[in-house]
Amino acid sequence: AGPAATGWSGERAVVRLSEAQADAQTRLPTGSSELDRVLGGGLVPGSVVLLGGDPGIGKSTLLLQTLGRLAGTSPVLYASGEESAAQVAARARRLQLGETDLPLLIDARLEAILDAAADCRVLVVDSIQTLFSEAVASAAGSVAQVRECAARLTRLAKTQGISVLIAGHVTKEGALAGPRVLEHIVDTVLYFEGDSASQYRIVRAYKNRFGSVNELGVFAMTEGGLKEVTNPSAIFLTRHARPVAGSVTMATLEGTRPLLLEVQALVESSPLGNPRRLTLGMDGSRLAMLLAVLHRHAGVALFDQDVYVNLVGGLKVTETATDLPVLLAALSSLRNRPLPVDLLSFGEVGLAGEVRPVRGGQERLGEAAKLGFRTAVVGKLNAPRKPIPGLRVLALEHLDGLGEVFAQLVE
Ligand code: TYD
Ligand code: MG
């Protein structure tokens, strides 16, 4: 059938692109530069943001802090089905929000929250797992409840132009049904990551209809709540007093800022027929692949060795720039020869043994030079056109040159 048969009635639904865009620009700054960064420049009216993460990582803290800052200028509501008013008040005192006139609703009934939120501009719901709607028979936290509650909150956001922020617990494995089933309902999905033992907390955008993904917000958990870390390039970096075998610093570019972190490898003779390949912070099957490439193209055999790789600091790196530093660290551990402490590396390694460029080479090298790194091992196409003062760049085209570069570094 042609257009006439579909019943489409012409211009009625057409909006001007210029007007639509102008509308999308009206964002509400959260008062936190790091949170605004992951959101893509502040809260979009009528949008729904899911903030996921392990219990205890800081979801309630971040949401309460944010709302506390907004309360002075916008009508807001903090709805908690999880904690008592006294518990929220105790947290608010820690965050020095004691004097803030913040409307608080302690209720787990969705309908009560929808009623109370009708006139506000920003609504926080903590947490989606504790909410229940009368429209659904199953228990709070069940998939059906979580879906229903999220869908109705989304409708509220869209019809009233309210920004809704929803906290959701997820375990490391993503085991809890809740947040994962919501990912496609909401506009933006932010996840807290990082080691809860460390002071630093990363908020990463996994999905964002209103901004770019993989942007990171970096915070430090302090006595008085989450503080922005606006210049995070070196916070994950452990500086060893003297060189240690199996350690290499890499520059990763998650989002728009380069971050430097330590890649550690431990290579140990294995008693097992099927030796271990274990990774923390990077994809485990990628390590197995890299070791096969190392064997074929650099002649380094690790089939009788257990190989462990750790990206220090709890950051998960999904980009392929880890390849080259991981192989350098593994070689250093295997040979028990430390690499210089002021060495930096990044680069992707292909199955044919070629070292491929990664985006933002110049930014990564520039950041490293600024932080006192003196030597960099990178792919040939990432070598800077203009020399960077104080930085010697060793450019590798193929893994067959790895042995030579390694020898040069440890001599
Ligand atoms: P919380 O925000 O309640 O985590 P979630 O809502 O994700 O479960 O609390 C995170 C942890 O942070 C908690 O163990 C206490 C700690 N904390 C601080 O160190 N400083 C603070 O100012 C606050 C409010 C909490
Ligand atoms: Mg909480």
Side-chain angles (χ1 to χ4, degrees):
T6 62
W8 180 56
S9 58
E11 268 189 9
R12 239 177 353 117
V14 172
V15 291
R16 305 242 165 247
L17 185 57
S18 54
E19 284 160 27
Q21 278 170 342
D23 202 35
Q25 297 301 322
T26 55
R27 290 181 184 253
L28 183 65
T30 62
S32 157
S33 55
E34 291 299 293
L35 185 58
D36 284 349
R37 166 188 291 278
V38 277
L39 287 170
L43 285 169
V44 174
S47 73
V48 182
V49 177
L50 171 68
L51 179 63
D54 292 340
I57 194 102
K59 298 180 294 297
S60 303
T61 304
L62 183 61
L63 293 174
L64 188 60
Q65 267 182 298
T66 304
L67 223 53
R69 272 192 308 261
L70 292 173
T73 52
S74 298
V76 299
L77 176 67
Y78 189 95
S80 178
E82 195 158 281
E83 291 169 312
S84 66
Q87 282 173 305
V88 178
R91 184 181 291 110
R93 251 197 310 283
R94 266 186 99 167
L95 301 174
Q96 265 133 43
L97 297 173
E99 302 301 302
T100 312
D101 198 12
L102 181 72
L104 187 63
L105 175 68
I106 301 298
D107 207 319
R109 292 170 305 146
L110 175 74
E111 284 76 11
I113 295 173
L114 294 177
D115 269 356
D119 297 323
C120 72
R121 269 192 84 189
V122 184
L123 166 70
V124 164
V125 179
D126 188 5
S127 64
I128 190 75
Q129 277 95 355
T130 55
L131 240 54
F132 69 91
S133 160
E134 285 151 13
V136 176
S138 57
S142 67
V143 174
Q145 277 290 3
V146 165
R147 271 219 184 104
E148 169 74 10
C149 293
R152 305 253 310 264
L153 286 167
T154 304
R155 208 171 311 148
L156 174 80
K158 305 292 167 199
T159 55
Q160 307 293 112
I162 301 173
S163 299
V164 179
L165 295 152
I166 304 175
H169 301 298
V170 215
T171 61
K172 283 234 159 50
E173 301 73 37
L176 258 170
R180 286 288 148 95
V181 310
L182 305 181
E183 282 178 356
H184 67 279
I185 303 177
V186 302
D187 298 303
T188 301
V189 179
L190 308 181
Y191 273 108
F192 257 111
E193 53 185 67
D195 210 334
S196 55
S198 122
Q199 181 196 7
Y200 295 108
R201 301 284 186 276
I202 305 292
V203 177
R204 187 193 297 258
Y206 276 80
K207 163 182 173 176
N208 197 349
R209 288 193 182 134
F210 306 110
S212 66
V213 287
N214 279 330
E215 196 63 78
L216 299 184
V218 184
F219 298 89
M221 184 59 94
T222 68
E223 265 313 297
L226 289 160
K227 296 265 148 52
E228 282 92 38
V229 179
T230 46
N231 185 16
S233 58
I235 58 166
F236 296 102
L237 199 54
T238 16
R239 299 259 192 175
H240 297 279
R242 54 191 180 78
V244 293
S247 161
V248 173
T249 301
M250 81 162 291
T252 179
L253 193 70
E254 300 274 328
T256 49
R257 286 179 299 191
L259 290 176
L260 271 53
L261 57 107
E262 184 189 359
V263 176
Q264 292 184 335
L266 178 65
V267 177
E268 263 295 286
S269 316
S270 177
L272 307 169
N274 198 359
R276 285 200 180 88
R277 273 82 179 92
L278 275 181
T279 59
L280 281 176
M282 71 170 280
D283 180 14
S285 41
R286 188 146 191 107
L287 173 64
M289 192 188 92
L290 288 171
L291 296 179
V293 178
L294 185 69
H295 184 202
R296 169 66 73 91
H297 296 285
V300 180
L302 295 175
F303 52 76
D304 54 354
Q305 308 281 328
D306 289 331
V307 181
Y308 305 91
V309 171
N310 179 25
L311 271 46
V312 180
L315 190 68
K316 286 189 209 98
V317 179
T318 49
E319 62 159 1
T320 52
T322 41
D323 294 356
L324 197 52
V326 162
L327 291 180
L328 279 169
L331 201 53
S332 161
S333 177
L334 174 75
R335 304 252 164 94
N336 201 20
R337 300 289 300 270
L339 291 160
V341 284
D342 59 3
L343 172 75
L344 176 102
S345 180
F346 58 83
E348 178 178 334
V349 174
L351 287 182
E354 80 281 19
V355 183
R356 310 165 68 104
V358 293
R359 74 183 175 95
Q362 196 70 30
E363 283 95 320
R364 299 182 207 231
L365 290 171
E367 195 65 32
K370 215 161 65 189
L371 290 166
F373 286 80
R374 292 286 156 260
T375 311
V377 178
V378 300
K380 187 139 194 202
L381 291 170
N382 274 135
R385 272 181 224 108
K386 269 194 315 184
I388 297 172
L391 189 70
R392 178 171 65 127
V393 177
L394 304 175
L396 259 182
E397 197 167 8
H398 193 275
L399 274 198
D400 58 14
L402 187 67
E404 201 179 303
V405 164
F406 188 80
Q408 217 176 316
L409 290 170
V410 297
E411 78 188 10

